[in-house]
């Protein structure tokens, strides 16, 4: 059975957020067209995503040496392990984020840090790092108030470029972007932009 992780990173729902509206349209279409697939929703604003902090780094060192961990260290390391195993178990990833300060909410980076693990999602070789997720595919649905897909904005957009770069580094061979953008730059077109994004998301739900 194919498993899809639907990973959202927005504090608001589809009534407020264009990215979440696109995400909702996508996932409803996907489930309608892939009824046998398993879909797991991960709300990064509701889930506990530990930061890689002193506890984690110290705990990893202790674990490697067979030493006892504190309760806090063990809790964080166990949670990071669970996040990684769930990520590895999936075949497809859908990230739904807004653009915040040219990137995405910081919890997305925390999540990516949790799944970038040598020996699990990539490995080191004599020729450099090699990604291990060669049988996966990814989609990023992102709303942007301005225009960043091309032109001057393309040089300063960091969120989608980061996700594409890191997932390619992990070996993911297929990465698609759906950018719902321009609603703040051209407010008179805001509803038109939203509707077009939702329609594109529905079409992607059929084929992704």
């Amino acid at each position: 059975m194919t498993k899809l992780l639907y990973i959202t990173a927005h504090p608001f729902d589809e009534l407020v957020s264009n990215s979440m509206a696109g995400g909702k349209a996508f996932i409803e279409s996907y489930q309608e067209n892939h009824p046998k697939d398993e879909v797991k929703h991960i709300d990064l604003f509701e889930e506990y995503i530990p930061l890689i902090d002193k506890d984690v780094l110290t705990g990893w060192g202790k674990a490697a040496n067979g030493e006892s961990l504190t309760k806090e260290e063990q809790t964080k390391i166990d949670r990071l392990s669970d996040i990684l195993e769930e990520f590895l178990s999936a075949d497809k990833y859908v990230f739904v984020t807004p653009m915040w300060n040219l990137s995405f909410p910081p919890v997305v980076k925390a999540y990516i840090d949790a799944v970038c693990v040598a020996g699990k999602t990539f490995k080191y070789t004599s020729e450099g790092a090699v990604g291990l997720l060669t049988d996966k595919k990814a989609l990023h649905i992102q709303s942007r108030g301005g225009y960043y897909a091309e032109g001057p904005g393309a040089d300063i957009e960091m969120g989608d470029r980061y996700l594409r770069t890191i997932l390619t580094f992990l070996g993911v061979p297929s990465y698609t972007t759906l950018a719902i953008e321009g609603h703040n730059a051209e407010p008179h077109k805001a509803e038109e932009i939203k509707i077009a994004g939702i329609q594109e998301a529905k079409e992607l739900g059929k084929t992704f």
Side-chain angles (χ1 to χ4, degrees), residues 97-108:
T97 79
M99 172 187 273
W100 283 7
N101 300 320
L102 303 180
S103 184
F104 42 55
V107 70
V108 180

Side-chain angles (χ1 to χ4, degrees), residues 36-139:
K36 295 183 179 180
D37 288 5
E38 177 186 355
V39 174
K40 172 68 182 296
H41 181 196
I42 300 174
D43 183 343
L44 295 182
F45 273 87
E46 295 294 332
E47 297 280 347
Y48 171 46
I49 313 294
L51 298 177
I52 297 180
D53 58 9
K54 182 179 179 180
D55 288 331
V56 171
L57 294 173
T58 302
W60 281 339
K62 288 180 178 180
N65 293 323
E67 301 173 25
S68 297
L69 280 65
T70 66
K71 181 179 179 181
E72 188 73 9
E73 291 166 351
Q74 192 68 61
T75 296
K76 291 180 178 181
I77 286 175
D78 287 346
R79 176 60 182 144
L80 287 170
S81 178
D82 289 343
I83 292 169
L84 172 63
E85 292 305 317
E86 182 174 58
F87 193 77
L88 289 171
S89 73
D91 305 287
K92 303 176 183 180
Y93 311 114
V94 177
F95 291 86
V96 180
T97 79
M99 172 187 273
W100 283 7
N101 300 320
L102 303 180
S103 184
F104 42 55
V107 70
V108 180
K109 179 60 166 60
Y111 181 80
I112 293 297
D113 285 344
V115 303
C116 289
V117 179
K120 294 289 187 176
T121 51
F122 71 98
K123 65 180 179 180
Y124 293 110
T125 73
S126 59
E127 298 180 352
V130 175
L132 299 176
L133 305 183
T134 56
D135 57 347
K136 318 290 187 182
K137 62 190 304 185
L139 166 66

Side-chain angles (χ1 to χ4, degrees), residues 27 33 53 59 73 78 90 105 118 150 160 173 196:
I27 205 65
N33 288 280
D53 58 9
E73 291 166 351
D78 287 346
E150 55 187 26
D160 185 62

